[in-house]
Amino acid sequence: MHQIEVSSNQGKQQKFEALLPQIVSLVAGESDLIANLSNICAALKQGCGYFWVGFYMVKGEQLVLGPFQGPVACTRIAKGKGVCGAAWVKKEVILVPDVHQFPGHIACNSESRSEIVLPVVKDGQVIMVLDVDSNKPDDFDQHDKWLLEKIVNMLSDN
Ligand code: SME
């Protein structure tokens, strides 16, 4: 049985440090990418309470919606567009405290207020991005960045 244990009486970093090995072991015995990305999204939704968490997969010149948890979302994003497209082109993590201040932000959901996007790089190429949205402004900090970077690094190393 696969289950995520989430403690409610710990600080954010402690909570994330307890969550990370659970996510690592969740995907460790499975080689199917879609299965693993799906479970990562579910674990992040359950463990961190994110409003929307999901992957966009690089397909040609577009990002195409992959496994996610949360409200329905845009299916395709052109290269360089939105926060996701920018993270792809720049090959870097983009943290947006207020999406209304990010030129070209794509509002898949009108409730989204802050966002963090991390590219997954394999053999020098971005193969997908991990996108996390919050319905609260300025909702992501260094603890979120730490946890999410560990996850994209794990996917990059595969
Ligand atoms: N806001 C993103 C689009 C994806 S949705 O948030 C799920 C962007 O600007 O790239």
Side-chain angles (χ1 to χ4, degrees):
M1 186 172 64
H2 290 297
Q3 204 162 312
I4 295 288
E5 303 287 340
V6 189
S7 163
S8 53
N9 56 3
Q10 286 179 315
K12 195 169 177 179
Q13 184 65 27
Q14 276 178 306
K15 201 167 101 172
F16 286 1
E17 280 173 14
L19 183 62
L20 181 63
Q22 298 185 63
I23 295 178
V24 171
S25 72
L26 193 60
V27 301
E30 178 54 62
S31 60
D32 188 273
L33 182 63
I34 297 299
N36 285 340
L37 298 183
S38 302
N39 255 345
I40 289 170
C41 291
L44 287 173
K45 177 88 175 152
Q46 191 193 340
C48 308
Y50 291 140
F51 173 69
W52 193 95
V53 50
F55 291 91
Y56 278 93
M57 320 301 288
V58 171
K59 296 198 177 172
E61 292 297 293
Q62 292 185 318
L63 291 168
V64 182
L65 184 63
F68 73 97
Q69 293 266 320
V72 295
C74 318
T75 50
R76 289 175 188 267
I77 297 172
K79 191 170 189 176
K81 299 294 181 189
V83 187
C84 291
W88 172 14
V89 170
K90 291 184 172 173
K91 274 192 201 170
E92 61 189 37
V93 178
I94 301 185
L95 198 164
V96 182
D98 178 356
V99 296
H100 299 314
Q101 303 304 318
F102 188 94
H105 167 259
I106 299 165
C108 291
N109 187 292
S110 59
E111 283 188 56
S112 287
R113 297 298 310 279
S114 53
E115 177 163 6
I116 182 168
V117 182
L118 304 92
V120 176
V121 182
K122 208 167 180 178
D123 300 327
Q125 301 290 318
V126 176
I127 56 167
M128 62 184 118
V129 299
L130 172 57
D131 179 18
V132 188
D133 287 29
S134 174
N135 55 0
K136 301 185 201 83
D138 202 11
D139 203 25
F140 300 107
D141 59 19
Q142 293 312 304
H143 304 298
D144 298 281
K145 188 165 178 269
W146 175 86
L147 175 66
L148 299 171
E149 274 180 337
K150 295 279 185 203
I151 288 168
V152 297
N153 288 343
M154 175 177 80
L155 294 168
S156 302
D157 290 340
N158 276 341

